[in-house]
């Protein structure tokens, strides 16, 4: 074929081309050679001399297509009894033929029509209105546009009536030709699919809008019928079935753009319109924890704007009530363990419910968090501090002590991990820190820890929850224990180098005063036994030489030692406190001593000594005279004492349980720490802001403190006044409720 332009007789070429076009548009048989020749004919007409004949070819093709569609419309109307099937059959044929025809006219499309078409910029940003009648279309697009004008528009009412009737029949269980209905509906989309703007307009206006209205009317009446015939539980099940079926129906018949709109309409008519009815049943379902019903309720209410509010509130109140009932019913025995395990049981139970029923929806997780926080921070007496931090610390202490029996390492690790769950809900984390550090100190000093690995793992968990600053002192306590081992090794090497024999085995803990919560403990006066004085002076000298400027303060109330009893028929090795040891060593001089003699020997106050003597007398090692113990009471050594064990321990002077005074002093120390923390926070804020209003300052201080404790506004105000007195802040001259920072 020659590509050179030449003169062409349009009539003869169009006559040949028309025959092929008729076969193509009806998807008839067209020989490959004929197909190729018609390609050549289109090219000839588009490149004809003296002028191209592309515009005439376009108009003739348009006229043919209009005539063909009108005749097809007439044929479809003749099949009035099965109009949808006839329409669908002719549409499938025409749509496929239009695609072939578009390929045949490829040269016309690319060289003639595209040059005259409006660009996307013209359509989107042009300053003039573009009439589609003036907009030249490619042949495939032209064919679709003609079908819309001369087929769909005349059949508009008939198609809509039949489509809605067919879908209504499907809803009532009648047999429907799915392929036909789906194909007819999709033709409304496909016929305008080429448009850059508003490609779904015909589908939405002609079918979707009336279909949604009819769907709403159907499910409005359906909901009313079900509501009158069923219980709430049955109603929810049937509504979910209806929604699932309608969703499946949408997938069978509709364009995907309609799926969500149909579901929203169904949900509006069957759920949103009956929210009061559904919300009224939420409380009872939550109280009885009807998981199946709650699952259905959640499934129905979730898509509705504001639908879950009542259910979330009921869940939160139920968790709170259940938790408070569990906490209030605790007995006095083993309160820490019962408290923590009860709270964790409630948390675990409702976590499982929220996961399985509500799919871990964050709104319900938030309700669980609020309820658990309310339970854990509940105060029986609003004027007294919350007991939860203390109970949690005691529970951790019980787990970490050697005395905890029957617990494997993995079980202990699991329980400690769960303790962090409770810890995260505490408002007063600083109170927990105080109690935990005091109990940790006792465990370390008296070597009562079941596992040092477990101790460090627990501190690391606390650090992850609250940061390094929160556990800084706890880490330093562990460091002191490690450094103390080095001191003992160095001291032994020192003794060997000096060739000094102390005559006793000696071990010491050197603890930083700022890290250990034992410095403020009131201890009685005490004189070391002569047997220990040389050892203590030797260590003082060793430590002074090694660390110049450091001062050691001896905490004898925390010390203990091992004595060998040689005065009995068989030797005994007894571990006891330094106070008990000093009293018994005084009997090296005499088998019978008065209380006053022991006061002189030990340097302890009489009241404290009497208490220690009574503790020793309970072990039968010494025997005071009968009656009230006075300074003149004689105490004798029990020379006939016997024990099944040759090695045993007498409880150390410091009690294993906190006394009320210790608890009170701990809370007092926390209050002082809080004041210092708040003052530091106020100074930091004011240093950055320079000038700040009173309410804004209060709010920022509360925000910075929330991770450790919830400060009262009155305490913040007192701290502000203190800083004003210390001349860190001052009130501005312009406003009495505004502060400025004094650099």
């Amino acid at each position: 074929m020659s590509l050179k332009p030449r003169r062409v007789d349009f009539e003869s070429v169009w006559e040949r081309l028309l025959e092929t076009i008729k076969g193509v548009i009806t998807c008839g048989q067209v020989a490959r050679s004929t197909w190729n020749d018609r390609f050549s004919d289109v090219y000839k007409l588009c490149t004809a001399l003296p002028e191209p004949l592309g515009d005439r070819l376009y108009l003739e093709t348009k006229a043919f297509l209009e005539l063909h569609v009108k005749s097809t419309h007439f044929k479809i109307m003749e099949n009035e009894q099965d109009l949808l099937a006839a329409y669908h059959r002719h549409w499938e044929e025409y749509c496929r033929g239009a695609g072939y025809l578009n390929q045949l006219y490829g040269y016309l499309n690319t060289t003639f029509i595209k040059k005259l078409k409006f660009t996307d910029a013209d359509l989107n940003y042009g300053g003039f209105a573009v009439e589609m009648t003036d907009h030249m279309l490619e042949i495939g697009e032209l064919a679709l546009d003609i079908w819309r004008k001369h087929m769909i528009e005349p059949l508009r009412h008939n198609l809509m009536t039949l489509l809605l009737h067919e879908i209504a029949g499907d809803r009532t269980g009648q047999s429907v030709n799915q392929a036909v209905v789906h194909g007819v509906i999709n033709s409304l989309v496909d016929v305008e699919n080429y448009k850059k703007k508003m490609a779904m307009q015909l589908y939405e206006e002609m079918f979707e809008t009336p279909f949604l209205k009819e769907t709403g009317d159907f499910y409005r009446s359906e909901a009313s019928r079900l509501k009158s015939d069923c219980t709430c539980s049955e109603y929810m099940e049937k509504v979910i079935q209806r929604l699932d079926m309608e969703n499946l129906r949408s997938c069978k018949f509709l364009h995907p753009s309609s799926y969500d709109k149909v579901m929203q309409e169904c949900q509006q008519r069957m759920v949103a319109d009956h929210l009061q009815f559904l919300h009224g049943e939420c409380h009872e379902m939550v109280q009885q924890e009807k998981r199946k019903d709650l699952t259905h309720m959640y499934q129905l209410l979730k898509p509705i704007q504001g639908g879950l509010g009542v259910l979330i509130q009921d869940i939160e109140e139920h968790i709170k009530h259940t938790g408070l009932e569990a906490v209030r019913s605790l007995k006095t025995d083993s309160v820490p363990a019962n408290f923590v395990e009860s709270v964790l049981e409630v948390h675990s139970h409702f976590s499982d419910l929220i996961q399985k029923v509500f799919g871990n929806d964050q709104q319900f997780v938030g309700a669980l968090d609020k309820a658990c926080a309310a339970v854990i921070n509940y105060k029986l007496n609003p004027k007294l501090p919350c007991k939860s931090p203390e109970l949690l610390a005691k529970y951790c202490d019980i787990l970490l002590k050697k005395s905890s029996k029957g617990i494997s390492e993995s079980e202990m690790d699991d329980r400690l991990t769960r303790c962090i769950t409770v810890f995260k809900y505490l408002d007063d984390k600083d109170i927990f820190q105080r109690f935990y550090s005091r109990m940790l100190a006792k465990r370390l000093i008296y070597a009562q820890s079941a596992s040092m690995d477990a101790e460090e793992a627990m501190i690391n968990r606390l650090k992850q929850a609250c940061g390094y600053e929160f556990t800084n002192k706890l880490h330093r306590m562990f460091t002191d224990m490690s450094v103390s081992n080095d001191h003992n090794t160095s001291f032994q090497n020192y003794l060997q180098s000096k060739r000094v024999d102390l005559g006793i085995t000696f071990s010491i803990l050197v603890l930083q005063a700022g890290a250990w919560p034992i410095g403020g403990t009131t201890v009685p006066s005490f004189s070391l036994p002569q047997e220990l004085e040389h050892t203590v002076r030797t260590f003082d000298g060793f430590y002074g030489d090694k660390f110049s400027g450091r001062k050691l303060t001896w905490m004898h109330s925390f010390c203990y030692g091992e004595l060998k009893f040689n005065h009995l028929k068989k030797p005994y090795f007894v571990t006891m406190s330094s106070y008990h040891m000093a009293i018994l060593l005084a009997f090296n001089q005499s088998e019978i001593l008065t209380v006053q003699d022991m006061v002189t020997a030990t340097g302890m106050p009489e009241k404290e000594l009497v208490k220690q003597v009574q503790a020793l007398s309970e072990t039968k090692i010494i025997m005071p005279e009968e009656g009230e113990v006075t300074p003149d009471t004689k105490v004798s050594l029990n020379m006939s004492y016997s024990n099944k064990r040759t090695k045993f321990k007498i409880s150390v002077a410091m009690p294993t349980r906190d006394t009320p005074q210790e608890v009170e002093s701990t809370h007092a120390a926390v209050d002082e720490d809080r004041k210092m923390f708040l003052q530091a926070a106020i100074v930091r804020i004011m240093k950055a802001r320079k000038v700040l209003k009173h309410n804004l300052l209060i709010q920022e201080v509360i925000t910075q403190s929330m991770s450790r404790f919830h400060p009262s506004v009155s305490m913040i105000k007192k701290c502000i006044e203190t800083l004003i007195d210390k001349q860190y802040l001052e009130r501005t001259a312009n406003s009495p409720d505004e502060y400025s920072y004094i650099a």
Side-chain angles (χ1 to χ4, degrees):
M1 181 188 78
S2 173
L3 296 179
K4 184 177 180 181
R6 55 184 175 176
R7 292 182 181 275
V8 178
D9 179 8
F10 180 84
E11 295 299 336
S12 61
V13 173
W14 170 246
E15 186 177 350
R16 294 196 307 269
L17 188 58
L18 182 59
E19 287 301 316
T20 303
I21 291 173
K22 289 178 181 179
V24 169
I25 202 65
T26 56
C27 297
Q29 294 292 328
V30 178
R32 170 61 62 182
S33 57
T34 304
W35 177 262
N36 291 336
D37 289 341
R38 297 299 83 79
F39 263 111
S40 301
D41 289 340
V42 171
Y43 175 79
K44 290 175 185 176
L45 292 173
C46 292
T47 58
L49 293 177
E51 289 184 0
L53 299 173
D55 53 348
R56 188 176 176 186
L57 175 61
Y58 181 85
L59 293 174
E60 290 292 345
T61 304
K62 180 179 180 182
F64 163 74
L65 290 173
E66 289 175 345
L67 184 62
H68 173 74
V69 171
K70 288 176 181 178
S71 65
T72 304
H73 172 256
F74 180 75
K75 293 177 185 176
I76 292 173
M77 291 301 293
E78 287 179 343
N79 290 276
E80 191 172 347
Q81 296 299 321
D82 201 6
L83 189 143
L84 282 182
Y87 172 90
H88 178 251
R89 184 175 65 256
H90 285 289
W91 160 252
E92 290 287 309
E93 176 186 280
Y94 181 83
C95 184
R96 190 162 58 251
Y100 295 144
L101 191 64
N102 195 59
Q103 295 177 30
L104 182 62
Y105 279 76
Y107 191 79
L108 178 70
N109 289 335
T110 55
T111 62
F112 177 69
I113 297 175
K114 283 189 177 180
K115 292 178 181 179
L116 300 177
K117 282 180 70 174
F118 291 110
T119 65
D120 291 346
D122 293 331
L123 295 174
N124 293 318
Y125 309 110
F128 52 88
V130 177
E131 294 292 337
M132 292 309 295
T133 53
D134 301 330
H135 184 51
M136 185 168 281
L137 302 173
E138 294 182 23
I139 296 302
E141 299 170 351
L142 176 65
L144 296 177
D145 187 59
I146 289 171
W147 182 270
R148 178 185 63 81
K149 289 178 181 177
H150 300 288
M151 180 65 73
I152 294 178
E153 293 295 343
L155 290 176
R156 189 184 190 107
H157 177 73
N158 302 51
L159 290 177
M160 271 310 307
T161 302
L162 292 171
L163 286 173
L164 294 178
H165 180 267
E166 289 293 304
I167 295 176
D170 187 78
R171 287 197 179 111
T172 56
Q174 298 176 20
S175 178
V176 174
N177 191 327
Q178 177 184 336
V180 169
V181 175
H182 180 68
V184 173
I185 291 173
N186 266 7
S187 74
L188 305 179
V189 178
D190 295 340
V191 80
E192 289 194 331
N193 199 35
Y194 62 89
K195 289 186 176 181
K196 302 293 184 185
K197 295 176 68 176
M198 298 187 295
M200 302 294 295
Q201 184 177 7
L202 177 66
Y203 169 79
E204 291 171 356
E205 290 180 356
M206 179 175 168
F207 172 77
E208 187 180 75
T209 301
F211 172 74
L212 291 176
K213 182 180 182 305
E214 192 204 28
T215 300
D217 293 341
F218 175 82
Y219 284 108
R220 185 184 288 107
S221 61
E222 182 73 358
S224 298
R225 184 183 67 80
L226 291 175
K227 188 178 169 184
S228 62
D229 295 344
C230 306
T231 64
C232 183
S233 178
E234 293 169 342
Y235 177 81
M236 290 191 298
E237 284 190 29
K238 292 185 182 299
V239 167
I240 289 172
Q241 289 174 6
R242 298 295 190 278
L243 292 175
D244 289 342
M245 290 170 63
E246 192 62 33
N247 188 46
L248 180 62
R249 188 172 296 111
S250 296
C251 295
K252 286 197 304 183
F253 297 130
L254 309 184
H255 187 267
S257 65
S258 297
Y259 295 172
D260 290 342
K261 297 176 185 177
V262 173
M263 289 307 297
Q264 287 172 10
E265 184 67 23
C266 296
Q267 289 160 354
Q268 183 66 35
R269 299 296 156 246
M270 303 195 80
V271 182
D273 289 352
H274 303 280
L275 273 184
Q276 188 174 0
F277 166 65
L278 295 171
H279 284 165
E281 300 293 325
C282 285
H283 183 74
E284 182 182 351
M285 291 179 185
V286 171
Q287 292 297 313
Q288 298 179 17
E289 294 186 22
K290 298 179 178 178
R291 294 200 171 197
K292 183 179 179 182
D293 287 345
L294 287 174
T295 302
H296 292 160
M297 185 70 76
Y298 171 73
Q299 189 176 341
L300 292 176
L301 295 180
K302 185 180 179 182
I304 308 303
Q305 181 71 26
L308 288 174
V310 172
L311 181 58
I312 292 169
Q313 187 63 35
D314 284 341
I315 286 288
E316 182 179 337
E317 289 299 324
H318 178 57
I319 297 172
K320 183 177 177 181
H321 175 76
T322 306
L324 289 176
E325 286 297 314
V327 171
R328 287 173 183 153
S329 62
L330 295 178
K331 305 298 181 182
T332 53
D333 298 334
S334 304
V335 168
N338 289 340
F339 168 77
V340 175
E341 288 168 8
S342 296
V343 169
L344 286 172
E345 184 179 349
V346 171
H347 183 273
S348 176
H349 172 73
F350 286 105
S351 292
D352 178 72
L353 183 142
I354 287 171
Q355 181 179 359
K356 292 181 178 177
V357 174
F358 306 120
N360 258 351
D361 188 310
Q362 288 305 303
Q363 296 178 85
F364 289 90
V365 174
L368 172 65
D369 290 342
K370 288 180 183 177
C372 288
V375 171
I376 291 171
N377 296 292
Y378 175 74
K379 297 180 182 179
L380 288 170
N381 186 343
K383 295 182 180 179
L384 297 178
C386 179
K387 296 284 290 181
S388 300
E390 179 184 351
L391 294 174
L392 180 61
K394 287 180 178 178
Y395 179 70
C396 294
D397 185 55
I398 292 169
L399 292 176
L400 291 165
K401 271 185 177 177
K402 285 181 180 177
S403 58
S404 57
K405 298 177 181 178
I407 300 179
S408 64
E409 287 188 15
S410 61
E411 187 178 357
M412 180 191 293
D413 187 67
D414 180 59
R415 290 189 183 184
L416 291 173
T417 301
R418 296 177 70 203
C419 284
I420 298 299
T421 301
V422 180
F423 171 76
K424 288 178 179 178
Y425 289 117
L426 289 176
D427 286 343
D428 301 323
K429 292 182 175 63
D430 55 341
I431 295 179
F432 169 85
Q433 182 198 38
R434 270 282 173 176
F435 278 102
Y436 186 87
S437 61
R438 288 183 63 254
M439 294 169 187
L440 173 63
K442 290 181 182 180
R443 293 198 298 273
L444 294 178
I445 290 172
Y446 296 120
Q448 292 179 333
S449 290
S451 167
M452 295 303 286
D453 290 339
E455 294 278 10
E456 291 197 61
M458 184 61 184
I459 292 174
N460 287 331
R461 292 188 187 99
L462 293 172
K463 182 170 70 174
Q464 289 176 356
C466 278
Y468 174 76
E469 189 62 32
F470 186 83
T471 57
N472 183 25
K473 289 185 178 180
L474 304 180
H475 282 295
R476 285 163 62 190
M477 290 164 69
F478 270 90
T479 302
D480 284 351
M481 297 299 292
S482 176
V483 171
S484 294
N485 290 333
D486 296 338
H487 288 327
N488 284 314
T489 302
S490 299
F491 183 56
Q492 294 302 320
N493 294 335
Y494 171 81
L495 294 177
Q496 290 177 7
S497 66
K498 297 291 184 180
R499 296 184 179 179
V500 176
D501 184 11
L502 298 176
I504 62 172
T505 303
F506 179 76
S507 178
I508 192 167
L509 296 176
V510 182
L511 313 176
Q512 301 177 64
W516 293 73
I518 56 177
T521 306
T522 303
V523 294
S525 58
F526 177 67
S527 296
L528 271 176
Q530 292 181 355
E531 291 84 351
L532 295 175
E533 281 187 5
H534 176 58
T535 301
V536 170
R537 285 198 304 271
T538 304
F539 188 84
D540 271 332
F542 156 76
Y543 194 81
D545 292 342
K546 189 172 183 181
F547 302 101
S548 178
R550 291 190 185 179
K551 181 183 177 182
L552 292 176
T553 301
W554 293 86
M555 307 289 290
H556 298 297
S557 60
F558 291 94
C559 300
Y560 57 93
E562 185 179 79
L563 282 184
K564 181 181 179 183
F565 289 1
N566 295 315
H567 62 288
L568 301 171
K569 292 180 181 179
K570 61 179 179 180
Y572 292 93
F573 297 89
V574 187
T575 302
M576 63 188 71
S577 72
S578 57
Y579 293 158
H580 291 163
M581 186 166 51
I583 292 170
L584 291 176
L585 286 173
F587 284 94
N588 281 337
Q589 309 304 321
S590 174
E591 293 182 8
I592 301 176
L593 295 171
T594 64
V595 170
Q596 186 58 48
D597 292 336
M598 286 185 279
V599 168
T600 304
T602 62
M604 281 191 285
E606 181 183 322
K607 184 177 179 181
E608 181 65 27
L609 184 91
V610 169
K611 190 164 59 174
Q612 300 295 339
V613 167
Q614 289 174 339
L616 273 175
S617 67
E618 292 175 1
T619 65
K620 308 299 184 182
I621 294 174
I622 59 173
M623 302 175 65
E625 292 178 339
E626 292 185 5
E628 184 181 353
V629 178
T630 66
D632 297 326
T633 299
K634 292 182 179 180
V635 181
S636 60
L637 203 59
N638 185 2
M639 303 303 291
S640 61
Y641 176 82
S642 66
N643 197 315
K644 293 180 181 179
R645 294 181 296 175
T646 55
K647 277 192 172 187
F648 59 92
K649 182 178 181 180
I650 302 173
S651 298
V652 294
M654 179 169 281
T656 54
R657 291 186 178 181
D658 290 339
T659 64
Q661 293 79 8
E662 287 177 319
V663 172
E664 186 177 345
S665 67
T666 300
H667 282 291
V670 169
D671 282 340
E672 291 302 315
D673 287 347
R674 287 183 174 183
K675 289 174 184 176
M676 297 305 296
F677 181 89
L678 291 175
Q679 289 179 31
I682 292 168
V683 170
R684 281 196 305 270
I685 294 166
M686 291 304 301
K687 190 173 183 180
R689 297 295 191 89
K690 304 304 180 187
V691 178
L692 201 60
K693 290 282 187 181
H694 174 80
N695 289 340
L696 292 176
L697 177 59
I698 295 286
Q699 190 58 50
E700 289 209 30
V701 172
I702 291 174
T703 301
Q704 288 197 13
S705 308
M706 291 288 280
S707 61
R708 291 179 62 88
F709 62 96
H710 287 202
S712 64
V713 175
S714 60
M715 180 180 282
I716 298 174
K717 289 180 178 178
K718 288 178 182 178
C719 291
I720 293 173
E721 293 298 329
T722 302
L723 291 172
I724 291 174
D725 293 340
K726 292 179 180 180
Q727 297 185 350
Y728 282 94
L729 311 178
E730 66 179 2
R731 289 184 173 85
T732 60
N734 299 331
S735 177
D737 68 337
E738 189 175 60
Y739 306 105
S740 63
Y741 177 71
I742 303 174

